[in-house]
């Protein structure tokens, strides 16, 4: 059985996919949007997890749902985890939707910023992130209230761990040419964190990739433009189905 597996962004949880899950459940039997370890009320890992550990947790979610393979939809950090999932469990990947994400690893300044963010939340708690809309919320977006609520529920330690796990992630560019399942790359036209140019480069590197630039959407394109996003997921599910 092929499932649809949504992987959330940082520092949110599986509930960011609420609309997509509700819409796609009518068409796909198994739709999963698990929260990564430590997020969404799941136990916070005892040590420092890696993105590989997150990927293995996703494999566990598929096992629990008795799903052998999945179309994996990862947004931003979820995309980084989708690459780790491809590295470790590629036989279970039927298709990939890479949204508002990038294949490049962090450079040194980015790693330092992530270490500082981990220190900040460990010292001052999750509320330190709630004072003003971050750059990953589109300017003027109505989503900040909802995003703020989701972020506010996450334990500071899970956020710190995820920040450091992202900093330590491997570069995924060397994977691109070997990805041989249908891929959809989706990006908000106003994404300031992973701007459309990064998605163009990623699309060019993958054999069977399409690119959708979603108008009037920022880094959280599924929240800013749920209909367009849902269409892109449906198109990919059809492409994957057409191969079977
Ligand atoms: C995310 O939305 O998951 C993060 O912005 C990813 C990142 O910081 O690179």
């Amino acid at each position: 059985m092929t499932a649809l597996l949504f992987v959330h962004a940082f520092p949110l949880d599986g509930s960011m996919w609420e609309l997509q899950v509700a819409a796609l459940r009518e068409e796909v039997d198994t739709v999963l949007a698990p929260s990564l370890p430590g997020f969404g009320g799941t136990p916070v890992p005892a040590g420092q997890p890696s993105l590989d550990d997150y990927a293995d947790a996703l494999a566990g979610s598929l096992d629990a749902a008795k799903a052998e393979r999945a179309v994996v939809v990862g947004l931003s950090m979820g995309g980084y985890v989708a690459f780790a999932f491809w590295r470790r469990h590629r036989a279970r990947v039927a298709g990939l939707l890479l949204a508002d994400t990038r294949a490049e690893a962090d450079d040194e300044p980015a790693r330092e910023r992530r270490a500082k963010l981990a220190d900040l939340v460990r010292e001052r708690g999750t509320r330190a992130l709630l004072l003003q809309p971050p750059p990953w919320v589109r300017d003027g977006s109505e989503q900040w209230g909802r995003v703020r609520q989701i972020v506010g529920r996450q334990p500071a330690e899970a956020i710190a761990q995820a920040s450091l796990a992202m900093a330590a992630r491997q570069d995924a560019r060397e994977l691109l040419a070997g990805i041989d399942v249908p891929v959809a790359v989706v990006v908000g036209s106003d994404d300031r964190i992973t701007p459309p140019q990064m998605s163009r480069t990623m699309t060019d590197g993958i054999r069977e990739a399409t690119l959708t630039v979603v108008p009037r959407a920022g880094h959280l394109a599924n929240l800013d433009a749920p209909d367009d996003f849902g269409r892109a997921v449906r198109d990919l599910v059809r492409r994957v189905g057409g191969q079977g």
Side-chain angles (χ1 to χ4, degrees):
M1 179 183 57
T2 300
L4 188 50
L5 176 65
F6 288 98
V7 193
H8 64 83
F10 172 87
L12 288 92
D13 66 20
S15 69
M16 69 171 263
W17 298 113
E18 214 168 32
L19 286 178
Q20 284 74 35
V21 170
L24 272 301
R25 270 216 174 118
E26 289 167 15
E27 295 158 48
V28 179
D29 287 342
T30 306
V31 182
L32 306 170
S35 295
L36 293 168
F39 291 89
T42 63
V44 177
Q48 170 59 50
S50 65
L51 295 191
D52 286 352
D53 294 325
Y54 290 172
D56 292 351
L58 294 179
S61 299
L62 289 185
D63 292 343
K66 299 197 183 342
E68 231 156 87
R69 302 179 80 217
V71 172
V72 182
V73 179
L75 190 143
S76 197
M77 176 175 75
Y80 310 156
V81 178
F83 281 128
F85 191 82
W86 173 260
R87 238 186 228 110
R88 295 170 72 77
H89 304 283
R90 75 181 55 177
R92 305 190 77 168
V93 181
L96 271 177
L97 191 148
L98 300 165
D100 299 288
T101 195
R102 57 157 82 86
E104 293 85 352
D106 281 358
D107 57 15
E108 209 36 52
R111 282 194 198 103
E112 280 165 22
R113 280 196 299 278
R114 294 202 199 273
K116 278 197 187 132
L117 188 144
D119 289 345
L120 175 76
V121 290
R122 277 178 173 146
E123 270 166 36
R124 294 182 29 211
T126 301
R127 64 188 170 281
L129 302 184
L130 306 178
L131 304 176
Q132 57 192 22
W136 32 271
V137 172
R138 185 170 178 253
D139 283 343
S141 159
E142 291 155 16
Q143 301 302 333
W144 175 226
R146 170 152 169 62
V147 170
R148 197 170 182 279
Q149 253 180 11
I150 302 178
V151 175
R153 293 199 293 262
Q154 311 311 321
E157 180 56 23
I159 295 175
Q161 290 177 354
S163 189
L164 298 176
M166 286 192 287
R169 74 185 187 280
Q170 291 179 49
D171 201 297
R173 279 175 294 188
E174 88 280 356
L175 298 178
L176 300 180
I179 298 180
D180 54 1
V181 295
V183 176
V185 179
V186 177
V187 64
S189 58
D190 306 339
D191 184 341
R192 283 182 283 158
I193 305 290
T194 47
Q197 189 48 45
M198 282 184 160
S199 288
R200 285 194 190 99
T201 313
M202 202 158 55
T203 308
D204 289 345
I206 304 174
R207 234 179 297 171
E208 283 189 72
T210 58
L211 173 66
T212 304
V213 180
V214 181
R216 294 175 295 285
H219 185 59
L220 298 173
N222 75 307
L223 295 180
D224 288 332
D227 291 345
D228 288 348
F229 200 94
R231 229 180 336 270
V233 177
R234 269 188 204 97
D235 286 350
L236 178 63
V237 168
R238 267 186 224 119
R239 277 167 65 201
V240 169
Q243 287 206 330

